[in-house]
Amino acid sequence: MVKTYYTDEQIETAQNKSILDVAHALGYDYKPVGQQGHMRISNVESLRHLELRPESNTFAWYNQDKKGNVIQLYRELTGSTFPEAMAYLLENEFSVSSYVPIEKMPYHNPYNFSETYTKAYHYLVNERKLDFEIIDLLCRKNYIRQETEHDNAVVQWVKFGSIVGSNIESTNPNSSFKIISGNSESNFGFNIMIGEPSQVKDIYFFEAAVDALSYWSFNKDTIRDTMLVDLEGVKVESFINFQQYAQNLGVRLPDPSHLHICVDRDKVGQDFYNKVNIYVDEATGESLISDDRVPLESGAKDWNEYLQQTYEPDYISVDKKGSEFDSARIRKRTNGTYLLETYRANNLFQMIDCNDLEQLKKAVEDYDMTRIPHNDLKKFNLIPDEKGNKLTKEDDELEA
């Protein structure tokens, strides 16, 4: 059986095997090209755009838009999995590359953070439709921060209690982008554990943090004892690394069916699923790893797109009396407390926590409650008083 976990030292040893020696051992000839000492595969027509770079012990496959190290080269040329490539490189003798990589510095936060997170919250909740309680919690716990230069959201990666990397998400819906911060730990990403590690029974793997949070939002009422993981793409190395990390935290999965693949429903996602699908029932030949991508019939590509398709507002909108630009939204938390969000020209201005109905009444007394449909008020057991500008509660309405 092929080993599935490798230490950092073993991975480094495999990566240092000469890429020229490995290509030659696989039956490929190469010839010099250009002035930089690069080599190009010469005896297979379909590989004539594949260039070997001994000075960095890497390759670039131009017409396939692929590049990487010797482990990735072996996998590309043989169609093997990461564990199979590791086994081949460690079990066979090759010369060691003279390439000396530049030492990667530990992650250091490059951003100045704001004391508030209204822009990040507004984008993730109102634009991406993520659950407001989940985002509010992660912001309060500093998993999500807001940087000061452009007010973008910074999703931080936590490993053994320390921040080892992050990615930055644009909060401007007109210029969407996501960038991994410099010196972030390789083959890692955002992750969150719902429950104690010793009780966790399932790990869900996503291509992006927003997809992981979308799945959590979609299954908020039922998800328990679960670890959600952002692979930052479709990296098999990250898939293996996170399983090892979970084990080190004390997670013990009952069997491979508790590994859930939730990557995008596209060709790249399917290729990834095929690569990591190394656990197969010997009797039936069926996969033991769970395929939890978005339902095929939905037509959605990923979990955030699916969430937006099925989204229903979880708030009451309030217009401010005498203003056509100011408004508010009332949200009720699962613990019975309230969040009042005030908006100016559709931009989130302030977030006010209200521990009970009396605090909420005081917070919204400047808003004209008569504009709220009665059915909306009943959802939160709130009704307007006779004057229409304050909230009251009635026992019979609360019991209804």
Side-chain angles (χ1 to χ4, degrees), residues 59-159:
F59 75 93
W61 197 347
Y62 294 113
N63 65 336
Q64 297 292 322
D65 194 26
K66 296 177 180 179
K67 59 183 178 180
N69 59 31
V70 67
I71 300 174
Q72 293 160 310
L73 177 73
Y74 180 84
R75 293 183 55 205
E76 290 292 343
L77 295 179
T78 63
S80 63
T81 64
F82 177 77
E84 290 169 341
M86 286 293 299
Y88 175 83
L89 293 171
L90 294 177
E91 293 171 4
N92 291 277
E93 292 293 330
F94 299 105
S95 63
V96 177
S97 169
S98 58
Y99 167 63
V100 179
I102 299 174
E103 183 179 357
K104 186 174 183 178
M105 300 297 292
Y107 175 75
H108 175 73
N109 170 49
Y111 310 107
N112 292 318
F113 290 135
S114 171
E115 294 182 0
T116 67
Y117 51 86
T118 53
K119 293 285 189 181
Y121 174 95
H122 176 67
Y123 171 73
L124 294 170
V125 172
N126 295 321
E127 297 292 338
R128 304 305 291 266
K129 309 304 182 186
L130 300 176
D131 181 84
F132 83 98
E133 283 193 279
I134 292 174
I135 298 305
D136 191 33
L137 172 67
L138 295 179
C139 288
R140 292 173 186 269
K141 296 290 187 181
N142 290 336
Y143 279 88
I144 299 175
R145 301 293 301 270
Q146 180 176 304
E147 53 86 21
T148 57
E149 185 175 1
H150 300 291
D151 293 328
N152 290 318
V154 179
V155 182
Q156 305 203 93
W157 309 350
V158 177
K159 184 176 185 180

Side-chain angles (χ1 to χ4, degrees), residues 380-392:
F380 287 175
N381 301 320
L382 305 172
I383 60 172
D385 65 6
E386 294 179 356
K387 297 180 181 179
N389 59 3
K390 291 185 179 181
L391 293 174
T392 63

Side-chain angles (χ1 to χ4, degrees), residues 38 46 76 96 99 174 177-178 202 245 272 332:
H38 296 173
S46 62
E76 290 292 343
V96 177
Y99 167 63
N174 297 320
F177 65 83
K178 185 182 80 169
D202 295 273
Y245 173 58
F272 173 81
K332 187 175 182 181

